[in-house]
């Protein structure tokens, strides 16, 4: 699919480039030809309106740019005079043929192809004047320009082709990444659901077996319920992740007292930390407000605090702080004492289904989606989230804009 998309991008891009090159070079050729032709006409008009200059054929005016000669005919078409130093005008047969072609046409201005001449005829009540100019140099100029256009056009085409190939990689890269993430997401979700489904089916079959007593059957049913609850939590997190990924979904945006929200979010976790022998410390500046969805911001707090209590070392401490960070920004910090996070895990920790602790059981509710959900929510609030690990303390930072 990605290859076809890249090919389509290149074809569309090169079609546009080809049309543009053809139009540009076509216009250049058209205007150049028209300009050369107009200069030739102006020159001939200038010469034919001043027939007294016939006596000075080699004295060129400033408007004369092309080789020319002039013939003057009488009222009955007899040759009266010729002028011009670029041609041998002693060939009467040549002149008679030119006169015949010129006066057989009703046009006062035309091109005689067989002689490569352009003529301009000016009639008076007494005489007829005809100026002939050589257009060989004009046509040579046009041919050279046409050849140059083909060469430049060909070079430009292949240059744009190379650029289009590179641009196609850049343009399609987000689609490629999204496609790979989608396939990875489907594979990971299938893997996460496959294990509890296998457990549920196995326990259901055992519960139906007559070989086991009532106590064993209740144990099997309990395992089924545990796996079903785990699957429900996973599906709920996947749906929440889909909602955060949906940029078209409207977010309830209101002014939220972030200081109060963080303080309230700590309350339900205090017993959890106490039961595990962990300490929870908070330092929250008052009257810090942000614009956003209160429910989603509370979910970010839940994810970070749940992550801290799961990955804290035995008897470790967790610190939560909220303060003004920069102009128009606030910084939420959740730090806990625990095993240091390796650099590789720091780079991947916000990826979906990624677990730092590979051995952590699914029963603990660790599916590797919490931080992905938190990252999506923070991004929708025009903020950023990152993690740092040093000296046995893992610290998550959330920076949000303040109205």
């Amino acid at each position: 699919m990605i290859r076809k998309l890249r090919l389509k991008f290149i074809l569309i891009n090169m079609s546009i480039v080809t049309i543009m090159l053809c139009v540009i070079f076509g216009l250049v050729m058209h205007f150049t030809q028209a300009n050369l032709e107009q200069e030739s006409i102006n020159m001939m008009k200038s010469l034919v309106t001043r027939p007294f200059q016939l006596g000075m054929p080699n004295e060129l005016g400033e408007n004369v740019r092309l080789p020319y000669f002039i013939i003057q005919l009488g009222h009955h078409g007899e040759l009266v005079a010729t002028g011009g130093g670029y041609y041998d005008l002693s060939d009467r047969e040549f002149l008679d043929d030119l006169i015949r072609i010129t006066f057989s046409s009703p046009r006062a201005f035309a091109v005689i192809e067989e002689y490569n001449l352009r003529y301009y005829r000016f009639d008076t009540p007494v005489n007829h004047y005809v100026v002939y100019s050589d257009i060989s140099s004009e046509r040579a100029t046009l041919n050279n320009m046409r050849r140059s256009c083909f060469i430049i056009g060909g070079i430009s085409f292949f240059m744009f082709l190379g650029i289009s190939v590179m641009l196609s990689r850049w343009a399609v890269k987000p689609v490629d990444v999204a496609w790979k993430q989608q396939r990875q997401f489907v594979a990971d979700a299938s893997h996460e659901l496959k294990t509890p489904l296998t457990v549920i089916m196995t326990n259901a079959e055992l519960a139906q077996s007559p070989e086991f007593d009532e106590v064993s059957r209740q144990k099997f049913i309990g395992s089924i319920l545990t796996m079903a609850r785990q699957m429900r939590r996973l599906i709920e997190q996947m749906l929440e992740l889909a909602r955060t990924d949906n940029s078209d979904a409207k977010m309830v945006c209101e002014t939220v007292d972030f200081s109060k929200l963080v303080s309230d979010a700590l309350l339900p976790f205090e017993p959890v930390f106490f039961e595990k022998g962990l300490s929870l410390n908070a330092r929250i500046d008052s009257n810090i407000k942000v614009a956003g969805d209160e429910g989603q911001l509370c979910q970010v707090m839940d994810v970070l605090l749940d992550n801290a209590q799961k990955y804290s070392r035995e008897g470790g401490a967790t610190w939560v702080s909220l303060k003004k960070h920069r102009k128009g920004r606030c910084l939420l910090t959740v730090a806990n004492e625990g095993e240091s996070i390796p650099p590789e895990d720091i780079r991947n920790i916000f990826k979906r289904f990624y677990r730092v602790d590979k051995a952590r059981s699914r029963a603990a509710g660790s599916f590797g989606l919490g931080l992905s959900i938190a990252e999506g929510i923070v991004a929708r609030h025009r903020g950023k989230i990152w993690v740092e690990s040093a000296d046995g303390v893992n610290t998550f930072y959330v920076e949000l804009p303040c109205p």
Side-chain angles (χ1 to χ4, degrees):
M1 185 193 79
I2 301 300
R3 186 176 181 181
K4 289 182 179 179
L5 190 61
R6 284 186 58 193
L7 181 61
K8 187 176 181 180
F9 177 89
I10 294 172
L11 288 175
I12 293 174
N13 198 33
M14 292 311 300
S15 298
I16 296 173
V17 168
T18 302
I19 293 172
M20 289 181 63
L21 288 175
C22 290
V23 170
I24 291 171
F25 289 130
L27 290 174
V28 169
M29 289 296 302
H30 170 74
F31 286 114
T32 302
Q33 183 176 1
N35 186 54
L36 291 173
E37 186 176 297
Q38 189 60 45
E39 285 184 357
S40 177
I41 295 172
N42 292 338
M43 182 197 79
M44 290 188 292
K45 283 182 178 180
S46 175
L47 290 169
V48 81
T49 55
R50 291 182 289 174
F52 57 84
Q53 288 188 349
L54 293 177
M56 299 176 292
N58 294 323
E59 295 181 13
L60 304 180
E62 60 180 14
N63 292 329
V64 178
R65 298 288 186 270
L66 298 172
Y68 76 97
F69 64 93
I70 303 176
I71 63 174
Q72 179 183 356
L73 303 176
H75 182 69
H76 299 288
E78 68 277 11
L79 182 63
V80 176
T82 61
Y86 295 98
Y87 288 88
D88 180 12
L89 301 180
S90 62
D91 189 346
R92 188 57 186 266
E93 185 179 351
F94 167 67
L95 293 177
D96 289 341
D97 192 33
L98 285 180
I99 293 170
R100 178 185 60 79
I101 295 173
T102 301
F103 285 90
S104 64
S105 171
R107 301 177 60 187
F109 168 78
V111 173
I112 304 174
E113 296 290 345
E114 52 264 42
Y115 292 110
N116 226 19
L117 294 172
R118 180 182 287 117
Y119 72 83
Y120 182 77
R121 191 176 69 207
F122 180 72
D123 300 324
T124 67
V126 180
N127 296 312
H128 304 283
Y129 298 97
V130 185
V131 179
Y132 296 92
S133 67
D134 190 350
I135 59 173
S136 299
S137 60
E138 180 181 322
R139 290 188 168 178
T141 300
L142 292 174
N143 287 333
N144 289 334
M145 180 169 287
R146 191 176 293 110
R147 190 180 304 110
S148 299
C149 287
F150 276 117
I151 294 173
I152 295 172
I155 295 174
S156 301
F157 179 87
F158 287 106
M159 285 179 60
F160 278 111
L161 179 61
I163 294 172
S164 296
V165 171
M166 291 187 291
L167 282 177
S168 68
R169 295 174 183 170
W170 173 78
V172 177
K173 187 176 181 179
V175 180
D176 189 20
V177 172
W179 177 251
K180 290 178 179 178
Q181 286 180 343
Q182 181 182 359
R183 288 190 299 179
Q184 187 64 40
F185 180 78
V186 172
D188 291 338
S190 301
H191 175 74
E192 294 291 341
L193 290 171
K194 182 178 179 181
T195 300
L197 278 174
T198 302
V199 175
I200 288 173
M201 292 179 63
T202 302
N203 281 275
E205 291 173 356
L206 292 174
Q208 290 179 337
S209 176
E211 300 178 2
F212 298 96
D213 54 20
E214 188 63 25
V215 175
S216 298
R217 289 193 182 94
Q218 290 300 322
K219 182 179 179 181
F220 298 147
I221 294 173
S223 298
I224 293 173
L225 287 173
T226 300
M227 290 296 103
R229 293 190 185 101
Q230 179 180 316
M231 289 180 65
R232 184 179 66 181
R233 287 196 300 272
L234 175 59
I235 292 171
E236 287 174 349
Q237 289 190 6
M238 290 169 62
L239 291 173
E240 183 62 35
L241 188 61
R243 281 193 291 268
T244 59
D245 286 343
N246 185 9
S247 58
D248 296 331
K250 293 183 178 180
M251 184 178 68
V252 179
C253 192
E254 57 186 1
T255 302
V256 178
D257 188 342
F258 201 34
S259 298
K260 184 176 183 303
L261 184 147
V262 174
S263 298
D264 293 343
L266 292 171
L267 296 177
F269 280 91
E270 288 178 353
V272 177
F273 278 80
F274 179 77
E275 289 180 2
K276 288 190 171 185
L278 305 173
S279 62
L280 181 59
N281 309 286
R283 188 176 62 185
I284 302 169
D285 292 350
S286 60
N287 201 30
I288 295 180
K289 293 179 170 47
V290 297
D293 188 313
E294 183 174 356
Q296 290 189 358
L297 292 173
C298 187
Q299 189 172 4
V300 172
M301 278 300 304
D302 291 343
V303 169
L304 296 180
L305 290 172
D306 183 62
N307 190 75
Q309 62 91 11
K310 284 179 180 177
Y311 293 95
S312 287
R313 66 173 178 82
E314 186 177 351
T318 296
W319 300 273
V320 178
S321 69
L322 176 65
K323 61 182 178 180
K324 291 282 187 177
H325 180 47
R326 293 180 296 177
K327 185 177 180 180
R329 312 286 287 186
C330 67
L331 183 66
L332 170 67
T333 305
V334 179
N336 67 282
E337 292 180 320
E339 185 178 347
S340 297
I341 303 175
E344 178 67 23
D345 289 328
I346 288 178
R347 288 192 293 269
N348 298 306
I349 199 167
F350 293 102
K351 291 183 178 179
R352 299 168 183 182
F353 294 105
Y354 189 85
R355 299 185 185 89
V356 175
D357 186 358
K358 306 296 189 298
R360 184 169 294 276
S361 66
R362 294 180 178 86
S366 177
F367 299 105
L369 292 177
L371 290 175
S372 298
I373 294 172
E375 183 186 39
I377 293 173
V378 172
R380 292 192 68 187
H381 285 76
R382 296 179 293 112
K384 61 179 181 178
I385 182 172
W386 71 97
V387 61
E388 296 177 2
S389 180
D391 301 325
V393 177
N394 303 317
T395 308
F396 285 85
Y397 297 93
V398 176
E399 186 181 78
L400 294 171
C402 298

